[in-house]
Amino acid sequence: MTALEDAPVPLSAAGNPIGFGRMHRKEDVRFLRGEGNYVDDVQLPGMLYGAILRSPYAHARINGIDTSAAEALPGVKAVITGAVLETLGLAWMPTLSYDTQAVLATDKVRFQGQEVAFVVAESKYIARDALELIDVDYEPLPAVADAKKALDADAPVIRDDKEGKTDNHIYDWEAGNKEETDAAFANAEVVVTEDILYPRVHPAPMETCGSVAHMDPTTGKLKLWTTTQAPHAHRTVYALVAGLPEQNIQVISPDIGGGFGNKVPIYPGYVCSIVGSIVTGKPVKWMEDRAENLMSTGFARDYHMKVSIASTREGKIQAVKVDVLADHGAFNGVAQPTKYPAGFFHIFTGSYDYPAAYCNVTAVYTNKAPGGVAYACSFRITEAVYAIERIVDCLAAELKMDSAELRLKNLLRPEQFPYTTPTGWEYDSGDYEKTMRVAMDMAGYDQLRAEQAEKRARGEYMGIGISFFTEGVGAGPRKHMDILGLGMADGCDLRVHPTGKAQVRLSVQSQGQGHETTFAQIVAHELGIPPEDIEVIHGDTDNTPFGLGTYGSRSTPVSGAAAALVARKVRDKARLIAAAALECAPDDLEWELGRWYVKGDPERGRTIQEIAMDAHGALELPEGVEGHLDAQVVYNPPNLTYPYGCYICVVDVDPGTGQVKVRRFIAVDDCGPRINPMIVEGQVHGGLADGIGMALMELIAFDDDGNNLGGSFMDYLLPTAMECPDWELGETVTPSPHHPIGAKGVGESATVGSPAAVVNAVIDAISPFGVRHADMPLTPANVWRAIQGSPVRT
Ligand code: MCN
Ligand code: CUN
């Protein structure tokens, strides 16, 4: 274990830490100057532009499509429909959950915004104009937008494309022990049950989804610049779907303007751009606009949860059970490990010590866009954390107990780690009470409660909300986790050039998380090469090793480990070369950052840069040591890493208007050693803003006919600096025992942990009105309704 030492990290000539520490992001030089290279910046000679015709109906039969007027428009090069794709065997594609999804609709449209036709034209304006000229003969069908009605006997069957399908049921899945849990509930002194909805929200990255496809007709090589968080997995899927030879497909994911899980699935637009290029022989660019992104690409959540908790009268939790109705939209397109159709939801037992838990998840099709796993969810740990942290607050209200006291009474204790949860996860490490105490101290918890009591006496409504979350991030190991059969392990290559400068190649792909900086820091920490001398290469399948990509905060736990191990491999090789150069035995050498030296004779040594030159030079290398200084690894993680944290939110609510003001937000995260604390804080800041957005304003709503009511930022509200307080961040450091540098992931922690803290604070504020729960988003109107005792609108 080389956890973050107390000793100060040495600085490079450029002033950067040679190892872990704060350093400005290397990529910001181009980002801040507007010189990033996004998919829409890709310009190729002779490039054409694609646009997608989308369904205005949530459910309708297609009786015919007349494309003749569009084809006749000058500048239009091709109009592709489902019928055309059918002749190529490409009308349907597999989803990442072993379902099928229409690329372009043939028989029916199944959600509003579904892809119906693809126009390729000389300009994007001509392409859009041509869409207006396509005449689709729709026969509207009754739609089901409400998951609770999807299994009704008279509900229209959405997936009648599947042979023998007579209902909208997708799967039932369970975890935990039902008998033990039922027994614990039967004998419990106190039981609290609540219907809790985690509404449909959307990750809404700044850059929408798009691709530029170029199928070179002479070489047969397909180059695809695309917004993907998983370039290698996408390449393999294209090879399997289209039957293209995999070595002839190059997926390039250049700079990405945010992903947040939106860019894990393969979208029909990507496939259409490829087909457009094959048909026309030219490069074809497709970029969706904001409304298309909000209406048709991977949404998040839509979990209807009935949550029950059993406890003693003193507040010792005994069991938790959750019944979930999961709305997956019209195609089951969620991206998650195959074994876990409900993602990692069964981590809902949370951070507490109790013996029995059980969940049952029933998933259904509805006439809505597909998705479910996105928006910094760590494979649905967002839903799980929200369920447990809300129900714990409901229990506190029932017991008339302080919610901090109830949590402290039930938190797992340090000596219980590694801890196996009642649903089968093995938490690696934690000191939960310590983290909670740090947060409470930072907040001045007791004073806050005293202030709240005073204010209540004056008729002012202040609320304090706590959320204590545990995540599991870093999927695999591959024997338990795969996506479409591709095992979740990641490669990493490291080359040290003769002059001692290095290139490290990753299988993961940054969307703004700063990998070009932090992965250089990991290698610097292991080898002593300054981070500015290490180039991080990612996002290009021709130039990086295979791996499953960036989501579920797996880059640090998986590829971060791979980067540390590949650097150690290079270090070991460097030792043999240094021994040859110094004419001593390798065992006589000792390592200090950046240098092997002779034990007892520290003046005699070789720096890593000198060794790099030796490795490429005339030095006689020892038997069995190949020339050059490089190495490769594939890292198959033994377990997930389990970051955790305690968040405390303080709000003031105006009961007359329902307006919520977030006054303070204290976030104490434990993600093990922080490679770059500044980047970690940035990740947490972003996730906390997400939490305020989801808790208070974000919602993709539908009417009964399945019309999407939130297709623009006028309706789909995102939080701005105006709604966010000055974040108060703290940390504790509990290394992961199985990770080479002890680091746990953090990229989704704040999005996972914060919504419950905000909602708990709002409900705490309005609890004097008898409110125990109200669903997100807690807009002013919904808070007001809750106070009046009316149902909220979601
Ligand atoms: N880090 C660190 N020390 C740690 C843990 C992480 O310095 N102990 C750094 C890492 O080196 C990396 C960053 O923090 O630079 C995030 O690391 P990690 O937790 O491994 O997460 P990933 O890199 O795998 O990023 C994925 C995660 C996900 S799944 C979503 S969703 C999300 C998130 O990252 N999407 C983002 N944060 C985002 N941030 C930006 N700017 N844009 C997105 O699309
Ligand atoms: Cu669930 S969103 Mo991130 O895993 O890409």
Side-chain angles (χ1 to χ4, degrees), residues 600-614:
D601 188 2
E603 296 300 304
R604 260 181 78 208
R606 299 292 278 169
T607 64
I608 192 78
Q609 289 82 2
E610 289 165 341
I611 299 168
M613 191 55 93
D614 288 340

Side-chain angles (χ1 to χ4, degrees), residues 229 259-262 264 301 373-380 511 550-553 748:
Q229 298 177 220
F260 305 101
N262 191 205
V264 181
R301 329 279 191 256
V373 165
Y375 205 168
C377 65
S378 302
F379 297 122
R380 299 212 189 260
Q511 304 96 47
T550 291
Y551 41 81
S553 302
E748 298 164 300

Side-chain angles (χ1 to χ4, degrees), residues 19-77:
F20 302 162
R22 285 172 195 276
M23 119 173 213
H24 284 144
R25 301 197 315 172
K26 292 171 153 205
E27 42 273 80
D28 285 345
V29 175
R30 64 177 190 281
F31 290 158
L32 293 175
R33 293 175 184 176
E35 287 169 4
N37 181 38
Y38 300 89
V39 169
D40 208 15
D41 293 322
V42 174
Q43 294 294 339
L44 299 177
M47 192 168 76
L48 301 174
Y49 297 83
I52 291 177
L53 180 71
R54 294 179 181 278
S55 167
Y57 296 103
H59 203 191
R61 191 159 303 288
I62 296 178
N63 290 327
I65 303 180
D66 182 355
T67 58
S68 52
E71 277 159 15
L73 187 72
V76 169
K77 298 293 177 189

Side-chain angles (χ1 to χ4, degrees), residues 258-261 375-376 511-515 518-519 550-557 671-676 679-680 683 743-748:
F260 305 101
Y375 205 168
Q511 304 96 47
Q513 297 90 338
H515 291 179
T518 46
F519 281 83
T550 291
Y551 41 81
S553 302
R554 62 189 297 283
S555 303
T556 303
C671 57
R674 297 178 174 204
I675 299 152
N676 186 326
I679 286 182
V680 170
Q683 291 287 298
K744 302 179 176 188
V746 78
E748 298 164 300

